[in-house]
Amino acid sequence: EGPSSAPTDIPSTTSSEGPSSAPTNILTVVPSLNPTVKSAIPDGVVLQRDNTPCISQVNPSNHPDRFKCMINPTTISSEPGTYDNDPVGLVGVNCIIYIRPVTWAWEGNAFIFQSMDSIEAINNCFAAGVVMSERRAIIPDDINLLRDNTPCIFQSNPSNHPDRFKCMLEPTAISSEPGTYNNDLLALRGLNGCVIDVRPVTWAWEGNAFIFQSVESLDVINDCFAAGVLISESEYGAAEDTLSLFG
C-alpha cells in the first residue's frame, strides 16, 4: 500500500601504461560475488524537481519520518511502497545524497523518501529544476575484490609512477581499467564496515592485483582491506563528494 495522502506543506525548520607486474603468493579462498547492478529508479520515471521546496513529513501515528520533493509530471510509480529500503545514492547539484525510497513518483508528481540528511541539505542538493539521477556502481561487474591472505603493500617508484598501493586478490576477471592516475575518488568498504577513499589505478591487474592511490597509511589500509575481505563500493560515496552519510 502506498504512502498516505500528502500532508500540509510545512517544511521542517530544522600515465596510460599498466602498472608493474604483480607479486606471487596467491592462496585460494572461496570467493563470493558482487551484487547485481541494476537501476533502482523505475523505467519511465524522471525525477526532475519542480520549483517548490522539498518538505519534511512528520506523522508518527501514520508513518515514519520522511521527505517529499515535488517533481514535474512523470510516469506514476508507487514503488517500492514500503519503508527502510536499501539506500540509493542520488546525484543533485554537485552533490550526492543517500536516500531510502518510499515511492518514486506518487501520483506522478511526488518523490517520497527517507534520509538522514537535513531538509536544508536536501533542498540545496535537490534544488528546483534539477534532474536527480542515480549514482552508478564503478567497480566492473565481473570483478570481485576478494583479498587473498597477503598484506597490501606500498609502491613508491618516482621514476616510473606516482606513489600507490597494491592489494593482492583471489583470482578474478582481468581488468586494467582505468589505467591512469589521479582518477575520481571512490569510497570502498572493508572489514566491519570501515570505509577508505581510493583513486583506482587498475581494478584487477593480471586478474589478481588491485592497485590504487590513497591518502591513508598502509596500516589503515591493511586493517580495513584485511585478508579474506570482499572489498565493495560503499553506499555512502567518497567523503569528498558526499553531502553526508546515511547511518
Side-chain angles (χ1 to χ4, degrees):
E1 185 175 334
S4 61
S5 58
T8 57
D9 292 339
I10 302 177
S12 169
T13 57
T14 57
S15 135
S16 61
E17 288 184 359
S20 55
S21 59
T24 55
N25 299 328
I26 297 174
L27 300 179
T28 301
V29 178
V30 177
S32 58
L33 298 176
N34 284 329
T36 301
V37 177
K38 63 178 289 186
S39 176
I41 301 174
D43 291 343
V45 173
V46 177
L47 299 177
Q48 182 173 29
R49 289 278 289 109
D50 72 3
N51 64 352
T52 63
C54 300
I55 63 170
S56 173
Q57 297 184 315
V58 179
N59 187 348
S61 65
N62 190 39
H63 57 69
D65 291 354
R66 65 193 190 190
F67 297 93
K68 180 171 71 171
C69 293
M70 300 305 294
I71 55 178
N72 289 331
T74 187
T75 302
I76 294 174
S77 174
S78 58
E79 298 177 5
T82 55
Y83 292 88
D84 302 320
N85 295 294
D86 289 340
V88 177
L90 293 183
V91 179
V93 182
N94 299 319
C95 58
I96 299 173
I97 284 184
Y98 281 80
I99 61 94
R100 298 184 189 270
V102 177
T103 64
W104 289 106
W106 182 252
E107 296 187 344
N109 65 2
F111 171 42
I112 301 173
F113 57 93
Q114 297 170 279
S115 177
M116 294 297 293
D117 279 282
S118 68
I119 188 66
E120 291 82 11
I122 287 169
N123 274 312
N124 286 336
C125 189
F126 299 162
V130 72
V131 177
M132 296 171 278
S133 60
E134 189 174 351
R135 177 182 181 270
R136 295 295 186 174
I138 297 174
I139 299 174
D141 289 349
D142 55 351
I143 300 300
N144 285 326
L145 299 180
L146 179 66
R147 288 278 289 111
D148 73 0
N149 69 347
T150 62
C152 300
I153 63 172
F154 177 65
Q155 297 185 314
S156 182
N157 186 350
S159 65
N160 188 42
H161 57 69
D163 289 351
R164 66 193 189 189
F165 296 90
K166 177 162 61 176
C167 293
M168 299 306 295
L169 308 172
E170 295 300 326
T172 187
I174 294 174
S175 173
S176 58
E177 297 177 1
T180 55
Y181 292 89
N182 303 317
N183 295 295
D184 289 342
L185 279 175
L186 174 66
L188 295 181
R189 183 173 56 240
L191 183 66
N192 297 326
C194 64
V195 176
I196 289 181
D197 286 348
V198 309
R199 298 184 189 274
V201 177
T202 64
W203 290 111
W205 182 251
E206 296 189 344
N208 63 8
F210 172 42
I211 301 174
F212 58 93
Q213 298 169 279
S214 177
V215 299
E216 298 291 350
S217 69
L218 182 59
D219 286 342
V220 169
I221 287 170
N222 273 312
D223 286 344
C224 189
F225 298 165
V229 165
L230 179 64
I231 303 169
S232 60
E233 288 186 46
S234 170
E235 64 198 31
Y236 304 131
E240 193 172 272
D241 64 8
T242 304
L243 263 174
S244 68
L245 306 186
F246 195 116

